[in-house]
Amino acid sequence: MLLYRTQLFRANCFKGPNELETLLSWNKVYGPALQRLRSRVIAANDFSGKCDIEDEDILKRTGARREEWANDSFEWFYASEKEKCRLDHDIEPTSCESTVHVLLNGLNYNSERNKSVFIDLVRYEVESEKTYYRGKPAVSKRIAVCPIVPVAPGDFLGTFPGALRYTKQEHMSTSDLLAPVSGLWLDRSKVSGTLSHIKVAEAGEKTNVCLV
């Protein structure tokens, strides 16, 4: 971990005698996330996000298969459904650019609000209140989507990987996402990605992310 150390920084962060131990403890907590950020930056035009699941433990916690991981997968499943949706609804696209272009430059070239590269997968564990193993609570190893920089309303966090569908919503599963118009939804059964692990809000439930 590289730190820019000023006199003020030293006065507030290194008041004790164990500076090295402090730095090592910070590196243990923040080092892996910064390494994954570095991998995303040097991946150039590869926006699949596969660098985030190079760690086998993270991959196992997601429950996904490596070949199905694609943060940049966001296309229509059938061209016929795309055309029917256009005929039935007067929808203005949020952006006319490709998914890769938006992931690189943000929505409508608003790069300052593009926080997609800073969205990370964080490991955490939950003890069961009902299941025990050898007298101790069973531990469930999980994964959470977490920004490593501050985000604000209106920031672009990335794309939900999946295939756009325009058909009867009775074909949807509980993990699929409804769009603002009737009949339009995102099928997330074929691919997975970072934002696949954000909780899907129930109807009428307040949520902090949305489809646009």
Side-chain angles (χ1 to χ4, degrees), residues 2-185:
L2 179 63
L3 299 175
Y4 179 68
R5 298 170 62 173
T6 64
Q7 184 175 359
L8 180 62
F9 181 86
R10 287 180 58 85
N12 286 278
C13 296
F14 293 119
K15 296 180 180 179
N18 301 319
E19 292 189 10
L20 179 58
E21 287 77 4
T22 300
L23 282 175
L24 291 175
S25 67
W26 287 0
N27 188 66
K28 184 178 180 180
V29 175
Y30 303 111
L34 293 176
Q35 286 293 337
R36 288 190 294 273
L37 172 61
R38 176 179 179 272
S39 297
R40 288 193 292 272
V41 171
I42 66 176
N45 293 324
D46 179 8
F47 293 97
S48 67
K50 285 186 169 61
C51 57
D52 288 335
I53 54 173
E54 290 179 353
D55 187 312
E56 291 295 331
D57 181 55
I58 289 181
L59 177 61
K60 185 177 180 180
R61 291 178 186 229
T62 64
R65 295 193 296 177
R66 196 182 303 274
E67 59 270 22
E68 295 177 346
W69 194 271
N71 286 341
D72 53 354
S73 177
F74 188 80
E75 304 293 341
W76 281 90
F77 198 75
Y78 295 110
S80 57
E81 292 182 358
K82 177 181 180 180
E83 185 60 28
K84 189 173 188 309
C85 183
R86 285 180 172 176
L87 293 174
D88 292 347
H89 301 281
D90 184 18
I91 302 176
E92 290 292 333
T94 304
S95 174
C96 295
E97 304 294 344
S98 68
T99 301
V100 169
H101 184 280
V102 171
L103 286 170
L104 177 63
N105 300 291
L107 288 172
N108 301 318
Y109 292 93
N110 193 348
S111 58
E112 292 184 359
R113 305 302 299 272
N114 183 9
K115 304 294 179 64
S116 58
V117 74
F118 299 109
I119 304 303
D120 195 35
L121 294 171
V122 177
R123 286 172 275 212
Y124 71 101
E125 298 178 351
V126 176
E127 289 188 353
S128 173
E129 296 180 355
K130 299 180 179 180
T131 307
Y132 286 80
Y133 179 71
R134 293 183 178 179
K136 296 181 179 180
V139 175
S140 176
K141 296 182 178 181
R142 303 182 184 180
I143 204 82
V145 178
C146 180
I148 60 175
V149 296
V151 296
D155 284 346
F156 174 64
L157 307 183
T159 58
F160 289 97
L164 283 170
R165 300 296 311 274
Y166 184 64
T167 183
K168 294 181 179 179
Q169 294 174 358
E170 61 192 41
H171 299 152
M172 292 177 58
S173 70
T174 55
S175 65
D176 295 328
L177 298 175
L178 285 171
V181 299
S182 176
L184 182 62
W185 51 283

